[in-house]
């Protein structure tokens, strides 16, 4: 198996994703809902990565190296229109983490993202969104002290510290809250139903 070219392919998927994100930041369009071009790219990347996973199993550090392993996670994390692929990948990532072949922080972020998309409380507080006051806040979670304990156990900062980091990043990227919070909320719920996250 030519793991080197597979690794390069996965890194290319990540780079295309980040390049498009950067383009949307520059044009001020990142905060304007789920961009159509980005949606297409995420779905295409997910399909390519799914084929790779079906061929070689999860792209662990020992197979593809650290950079391609992290790129794998990013592509999965962004494949929000593909619930089955995300859930399948989370199980495979969990096994890789147990075998020390992937980073448990990646698993925490992916687990939280799936929970948020399913409307469940996140465990690590890694996922943020705009609230009704126009602030970026952590999505629904169970209990702050438990969240901070879990974060500490895998080497993450506290949720309070992370909230400040996220706010600074959003300022740097010139992101702004949605003009109509309720309308956006309804659009997200409709989209989640349409792709199969909720019923």
């Amino acid at each position: 198996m030519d793991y080197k070219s597979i690794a390069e392919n996965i890194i290319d998927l990540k780079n295309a994703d980040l390049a498009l994100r950067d383009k949307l930041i520059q044009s001020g369009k990142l905060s304007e809902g789920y961009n159509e071009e980005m949606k297409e790219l995420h779905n295409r990347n997910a399909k390519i990565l799914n084929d790779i996973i079906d061929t070689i199993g999860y792209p662990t550090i020992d197979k593809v190296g650290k950079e391609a392993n992290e790129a794998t996670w990013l592509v999965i994390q962004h494949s929000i229109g593909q619930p089955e692929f995300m859930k399948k990948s989370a199980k495979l990532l969990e096994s890789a983490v147990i075998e020390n072949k992937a980073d448990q922080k990646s698993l925490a972020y992916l687990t939280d993202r799936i929970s948020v998309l399913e409307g469940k409380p996140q465990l690590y507080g890694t996922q943020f969104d705009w609230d009704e006051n126009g602030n970026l806040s952590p999505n629904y979670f169970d209990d702050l002290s438990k969240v901070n304990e879990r974060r500490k156990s895998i080497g993450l900062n506290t949720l309070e510290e992370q909230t400040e980091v996220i706010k600074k990043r959003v300022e740097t990227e010139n992101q702004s809250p949605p003009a109509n919070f309720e309308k956006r909320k309804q659009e997200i719920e409709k989209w989640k139903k349409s792709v199969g996250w909720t019923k």
Side-chain angles (χ1 to χ4, degrees):
M1 188 67 66
D2 182 7
Y3 285 129
K4 190 173 185 294
S5 63
I6 289 170
E8 285 166 1
N9 190 1
I10 296 169
I11 291 163
D12 286 346
L13 298 180
K14 175 200 77 169
N15 289 340
D17 184 311
L18 295 180
L20 177 56
R21 185 179 189 277
D22 197 49
K23 187 177 104 174
L24 293 173
I25 289 168
Q26 300 308 322
S27 62
K29 290 182 180 168
L30 191 64
S31 304
E32 294 176 8
Y34 196 15
N35 177 274
E36 203 56 46
E37 192 182 349
M38 185 171 258
K39 188 191 297 182
E40 281 170 25
L41 180 75
H42 287 165
N43 287 335
R44 189 167 64 244
N45 279 357
K47 186 184 180 322
I48 294 166
L49 185 58
N50 191 41
D51 290 344
I52 290 170
I53 289 172
D54 285 347
T55 307
I56 68 162
Y58 194 86
T60 50
I61 295 169
D62 59 320
K63 288 178 192 167
V64 296
K66 195 170 189 297
E67 188 184 358
N69 172 259
E70 287 171 359
T72 296
W73 163 77
L74 182 111
V75 170
I76 297 165
Q77 188 78 354
H78 289 177
S79 63
I80 57 174
Q82 307 292 327
E84 294 315 310
F85 171 64
M86 278 186 98
K87 289 183 217 172
K88 162 187 159 179
S89 299
K91 284 196 180 106
L92 294 170
L93 176 54
E94 189 174 3
S95 300
V97 167
I98 290 165
E99 293 167 11
N100 282 324
K101 293 177 179 176
D103 187 347
Q104 59 190 104
K105 291 187 187 85
S106 300
L107 181 61
Y109 273 80
L110 183 55
T111 304
D112 274 0
R113 178 152 291 184
I114 290 170
S115 294
V116 167
L117 289 165
E118 290 180 333
K120 296 173 184 167
Q122 53 176 338
L123 297 176
Y124 297 91
T126 62
Q127 305 301 297
F128 284 69
D129 202 356
W130 300 104
D131 63 24
E132 60 273 19
N133 301 315
N135 297 314
L136 258 188
S137 304
N139 285 91
Y140 172 50
F141 56 86
D142 56 356
D143 175 87
L144 183 60
S145 61
K146 285 181 186 165
V147 166
N148 278 332
E149 270 172 43
R150 292 182 201 119
R151 290 178 70 87
K152 190 180 176 184
S153 75
I154 61 166
L156 292 172
N157 58 1
T158 67
L159 189 52
E160 295 87 342
E161 288 166 338
Q162 186 60 15
T163 301
E164 290 310 307
V165 170
I166 295 283
K167 283 180 179 169
K168 283 193 178 79
R169 190 177 78 201
V170 165
E171 277 173 32
T172 309
E173 294 175 350
N174 289 323
Q175 290 190 50
S176 52
N180 186 330
F181 175 77
E182 279 307 317
K183 181 176 175 233
R184 180 173 178 270
K185 203 168 144 187
Q186 285 164 8
E187 283 170 356
I188 290 170
E189 289 311 312
K190 189 178 165 193
W191 171 83
K192 287 199 311 195
K193 212 172 270 187
S194 75
V195 296
W197 282 114
T198 55
K199 289 190 170 108

